[in-house]
């Protein structure tokens, strides 16, 4: 059963600016596992990756019903690409399944997260 659905649209230029002007931005938004995936990427792909994770975490917080801040923080969520390049939520506070989709153009990133309750039975 679906417990939550969240979507977000983020301007990639806004994230590029945040990364350029705040040297703590990436460490605040990404977990260690996400930063490990980020390190070998080219500059353009790095910004897309950061923007995608930022947006996906916003989407997750909306699906969770709290928004980012008190109940869900950036560091509470880890979203990494699997071997096929599909983003997967590997750690999160919800006691169930979390599914994520990330898509972007040159200018925007759009994400969606679905939270699914575990079957009890």
């Amino acid at each position: 059963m679906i417990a939550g659905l969240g979507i977000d649209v983020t301007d990639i230029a806004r994230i590029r600016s945040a990364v350029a002007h705040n040297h703590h931005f990436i460490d605040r938004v990404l977990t260690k596992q996400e930063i490990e995936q980020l390190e070998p990427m080219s500059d353009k792909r790095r910004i897309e990756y950061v923007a995608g994770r930022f947006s996906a975490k916003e989407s997750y917080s909306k699906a969770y019903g709290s928004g980012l801040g008190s109940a869900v923080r950036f560091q509470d969520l880890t979203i990494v690409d699997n071997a096929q390049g599909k983003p997967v939520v590997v750690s999160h506070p919800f006691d169930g399944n979390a599914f994520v989709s990330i898509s972007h153009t040159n200018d925007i990133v759009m994400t969606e997260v679905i939270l699914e309750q575990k079957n009890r039975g």
Side-chain angles (χ1 to χ4, degrees), residues 5-6 12 19-20 23 25 34 38 40 51 54 61 69 73 77 85-86 93 97 115:
L5 171 68
I12 294 174
V19 168
H23 65 278
F25 185 82
E34 293 164 331
L38 176 72
F54 178 92
S61 72
R73 296 177 313 261
L77 306 165
K86 176 183 174 183
N97 299 313
L115 299 180

Side-chain angles (χ1 to χ4, degrees), residues 35-82:
I35 290 171
E36 288 172 2
Q37 281 199 331
L38 176 72
E39 287 176 349
M41 295 179 185
S42 68
D43 286 343
K44 181 179 186 301
R45 180 67 187 114
R46 285 174 62 90
I47 294 301
E48 292 170 348
Y49 185 91
V50 174
R53 278 14 185 218
F54 178 92
S55 181
K57 292 176 183 194
E58 287 277 1
S59 289
Y60 182 98
S61 72
K62 292 171 185 175
Y64 196 77
S66 65
L68 279 167
S70 58
V72 177
R73 296 177 313 261
F74 286 118
Q75 294 296 313
D76 295 333
L77 306 165
T78 299
I79 304 166
V80 294
D81 294 341
N82 69 12

Side-chain angles (χ1 to χ4, degrees), residues 5-121:
L5 171 68
I7 62 169
D8 184 72
V9 177
T10 297
D11 182 25
I12 294 174
R14 184 175 132 226
I15 301 303
R16 184 179 300 109
S17 177
V19 168
H21 293 97
N22 180 351
H23 65 278
H24 295 294
F25 185 82
I26 288 176
D27 292 330
R28 187 172 64 89
V29 173
L30 301 183
T31 63
K32 181 181 176 187
Q33 207 174 347
E34 293 164 331
I35 290 171
E36 288 172 2
Q37 281 199 331
L38 176 72
E39 287 176 349
M41 295 179 185
S42 68
D43 286 343
K44 181 179 186 301
R45 180 67 187 114
R46 285 174 62 90
I47 294 301
E48 292 170 348
Y49 185 91
V50 174
R53 278 14 185 218
F54 178 92
S55 181
K57 292 176 183 194
E58 287 277 1
S59 289
Y60 182 98
S61 72
K62 292 171 185 175
Y64 196 77
S66 65
L68 279 167
S70 58
V72 177
R73 296 177 313 261
F74 286 118
Q75 294 296 313
D76 295 333
L77 306 165
T78 299
I79 304 166
V80 294
D81 294 341
N82 69 12
Q84 293 75 38
K86 176 183 174 183
V88 178
V89 183
V90 296
S91 68
H92 58 96
F94 180 70
D95 184 28
N97 299 313
F99 304 95
V100 63
S101 181
I102 302 173
S103 185
H104 57 79
T105 67
N106 286 329
D107 302 316
I108 61 167
V109 60
M110 185 272 180
T111 59
E112 179 175 32
V113 169
I114 297 173
L115 299 180
E116 177 188 54
Q117 292 177 339
K118 291 181 180 176
N119 289 334
R120 310 255 192 249

